[in-house]
Amino acid sequence: MDFGIHIGTRGCLASREPIMAVARRAEGLGYAYLGVADHLIVPVHTDIRYAYTVDGIWPGAPTGECFDAVATLAFIAGCTQRIKLLTSVAVVPYRPAVLAAKLLLTADVLSGGRVIAGVGTGWMKEEFEALGTPPFAERGAVTDEYLQAWRALWDEQHPALDGNYAKFDNVVFAPKPASKPHLPIWVGGESPPALRRTVKFGDAWYPVSNNQTIRLNTPQRLRDGIDGLHRVAEKAGRDPGTIDVGYLWFAPPVWTAQQGPDGRQLFSGSSSDMLADAAALGKAGAEHVILYLQRPTIEETLEVIQHFGEEVVRKA
């Protein structure tokens, strides 16, 4: 198992020096991934509930701060050497298919093959409207077609597509990604459509721990989710063993045990408890564990990255 961190580009990480500090600290401690959330413009008000918090409020709502995820990863690429760069997750319909494929390709080539396209369909209707995307209600179909377009552009010497949302032919798309054998796609989401999308397009499934309706907050629940993914893969004729599992634990570790209805919360308590949690997730099928380590201040953020890195990442 390896570990990564997930950050939002807001609060203490809405400026140059703190992002550089986090990236360099994480790389120096041996974290394998740095994931960046994706929002481009934030409505003053939305009636849509956010699926990953109890109150339904997206954590970035109070300030509205956000950077473009791909541009942020390209910046991080310039101040790191080894850490993998993950969109966590890119909302696929936000950017035209050819443009998004080129942005990710550019970051991948200039980083030396370190970019992973974590992808999702999105949830904030008002953001779709402000960006002038295809209709919000069609975002699943748009995502599938754009992913098909990305694969064609990245992998084929003479890419072409005549779709409902993306059309291209008679084009040269070069250079090709530095990632081998291709630029990987991690499909986010816990729903049945997300599982089907993973099987069709994904190199990995990338679920979040605390979807309030499809909870994967224990090793057993994650195991049940992976079993469901494998059933979908087998039905579609894909070998389940070809699909990796990344797992986003959407909370920072705390070194005091937190009790809930399911017992001790994962990644709370002693460092030994956290190592046991990692082992249990690995046994359940997770190959990559990403944690949301951002805290209110840059000092607190760096401290938790350091502590978890020394006590868990380096010992797992």
Side-chain angles (χ1 to χ4, degrees):
M1 175 182 289
D2 50 25
F3 294 88
I5 67 173
H6 166 97
I7 61 171
T9 52
R10 58 180 177 266
C12 69
L13 292 179
S15 58
R16 168 187 168 88
E17 287 78 11
I19 289 178
M20 292 173 63
V22 163
R24 289 170 171 166
R25 182 72 59 90
E27 182 170 76
L29 288 163
Y31 290 86
Y33 307 94
L34 197 159
V36 174
D38 188 28
H39 282 281
L40 295 172
I41 190 166
V42 180
V44 174
H45 174 75
T46 179
D47 291 323
I48 300 176
R49 288 183 61 85
Y50 182 61
Y52 300 102
T53 56
V54 174
D55 59 11
I57 298 174
W58 174 57
T63 67
E65 293 172 316
C66 53
F67 290 150
D68 175 84
V70 185
T72 302
L73 292 182
F75 169 74
I76 293 171
C79 57
T80 57
Q81 297 296 322
R82 297 177 302 279
I83 198 165
K84 295 284 187 178
L85 308 170
L86 170 68
T87 52
S88 184
V89 295
V91 181
V92 175
Y94 281 178
R95 303 164 183 84
V98 176
L99 173 62
K102 179 60 74 170
L103 290 171
L104 289 161
L105 172 281
T106 301
D108 184 67
V109 170
L110 297 182
S111 69
R114 291 189 281 142
V115 168
I116 298 169
V119 300
T121 60
W123 64 276
M124 193 183 289
K125 182 179 180 181
E126 296 86 352
E127 191 170 12
F128 279 70
E129 293 168 347
L131 293 170
T133 70
F136 176 76
E138 299 172 29
R139 64 194 184 279
V142 173
T143 296
D144 288 347
E145 190 168 292
Y146 282 14
L147 293 178
Q148 181 183 355
W150 292 5
R151 281 288 191 225
L153 292 162
W154 291 337
D155 298 347
E156 298 174 12
Q157 291 304 311
H158 303 288
L161 181 67
D162 184 16
N164 295 319
Y165 307 102
K167 298 177 185 290
F168 50 86
D169 195 0
N170 190 35
V171 296
V172 175
F173 192 87
K176 295 303 182 185
S179 297
K180 302 300 179 187
H182 54 247
L183 203 156
I185 292 175
W186 289 15
V187 178
E190 301 76 37
S191 67
L195 299 184
R196 293 193 294 270
R197 187 169 294 115
T198 300
V199 169
K200 187 172 183 179
F201 298 106
D203 298 282
W205 182 39
Y206 186 40
V208 179
S209 59
N210 59 325
N211 185 317
Q212 296 300 298
T213 57
I214 308 174
R215 296 181 71 82
L216 300 175
N217 62 328
T218 68
Q220 184 57 55
R221 287 176 174 165
L222 178 62
R223 178 68 260 172
D224 292 343
I226 294 171
D227 288 343
L229 172 69
H230 288 179
R231 288 192 294 271
V232 175
E234 289 165 353
K235 185 176 180 179
R238 179 171 177 184
D239 178 3
T242 65
I243 305 172
D244 287 349
V245 176
Y247 176 68
L248 175 56
W249 177 255
F250 203 57
V254 289
W255 280 265
T256 302
Q258 306 295 305
Q259 296 297 323
D262 301 301
R264 182 183 56 82
Q265 177 180 292
L266 290 178
F267 299 112
S268 74
S270 68
S271 297
S272 295
D273 290 332
M274 296 184 194
L275 285 165
D277 293 337
L281 290 171
K283 186 176 181 180
E287 296 166 272
H288 322 285
V289 174
I290 316 297
L291 295 95
Y292 180 53
L293 297 188
Q294 186 169 340
R295 306 302 295 143
T297 69
I298 186 59
E299 292 80 13
E300 292 171 293
T301 300
L302 292 173
E303 194 281 330
V304 74
I305 291 171
Q306 185 80 29
H307 194 172
F308 190 80
E310 291 176 344
E311 294 297 316
V312 181
V313 174
R314 287 180 170 174
K315 295 180 180 180

